[in-house]
Amino acid sequence: MPEPTYAVFEREEHAERLGRLRAFLRQGGHSGAVLMAPEHLYYFGGYDSWVSVNSPQAMIVTDRDDEPTLILRDVDLPLARETSWIGDLRTYSLVIDDYPSLLRDVLVEKGICQGTLLCELQSYAVPFALGQSIAEAVQPAQLVDATRSVGLLRLIKSPAELRLLEEAAGHAGAGLAAFAHHVEPGITEIELAGRIETAMRGSGSEYPAIPTELSSGARSAGGHATPRLKDIAEGDLVHAEFAGVQHRYHAVGIQTVSCGHANSECKALYSAGLQSLRAGIEAIRPGIVVAEIEEASLAPLRATGLEGAAMMRFGYGIGVAYPPIWLEALQIARGFDETLSPGMAFVLHACLELPDENLGVVLGGTYVLEATGLRLLAGAGAAELLEL
């Protein structure tokens, strides 16, 4: 089979990833996996397509060294041929064929129609009704949720993946430069977001998994706010969060700036966020439990009575992503016990929101943990407040 025109990784890299997945299947005593999340179809099979959110797709993997099977909608067959190394492609018509029945037939053919099958049952690609119909179709086999466990296999990035993250960070950097350059009184949030997105597209960035988040002034307390037709005014805090994307690898740029001179309340809140971000960063090292990092980030906030304003997790893993989210399985937050290792990439942020005061800040960016320490890839990071 010829190499796909738009393949991103060498086949050997996909083979190594698939080998880890199969070892995980054998270790857990599972018959196979029905992978439906688009990030996993891409990571393990090279197939690049966003359409899982409205057209079911699946990669069927056994614990043996046989070729996986890719099930996809007929109109998307060219997408698989141009990106995936998988030769066993099965198609269906969305309005004519029964997708769960086709999936069951492939499982029977591969001899894995009994036992347990891993599937990302919490993925946006597997809505409740679809998951229920698949679970019924594959009986007596049973589906076991592997949204998190399979996702954890992607956390440590290969050298090739890190190169893509660095390229994505370059696109995010173009967006941050446009952000700082165009913040001025009278520009609307939508226009400013357009300047950011134009700069990143001009740099070569692909579409992101989450829209640009940007808000200003009285809207700044909305941590996930998207831009509106609101004029930015003198003295407004303006924060933005967006991703540069290279071959589906995301690097998130984050920054809060002041449009002109910031008042004392704005400066105080930003300073608290900066102390929190720096405290969390200082705690990071290989082997640390993620919960300890968030606890460290909260210590400065407790001292000033602002712990309740920290409404978001301190960090999360980043890498391959498709709409509607770019978060990986790693959560750098209380309640999780994973440990950090060199080669992991993640977003770290201090997000402080005071809804009753219509004031909020977000600071941080995308980092990679290396053997020599933490390195900022994208975002303003732990920088002082810019008054532009």
Side-chain angles (χ1 to χ4, degrees), residues 200-215:
M200 289 195 295
R201 282 294 200 174
S203 175
S205 184
E206 302 168 13
Y207 67 92
I210 295 176
T212 297
E213 296 175 358
L214 188 151
S215 60

Side-chain angles (χ1 to χ4, degrees), residues 362-377:
V362 184
L363 298 75
T366 300
Y367 296 78
V368 61
L369 182 59
E370 300 174 325
T372 54
L374 195 63
R375 178 163 63 99
L376 176 65
L377 289 181

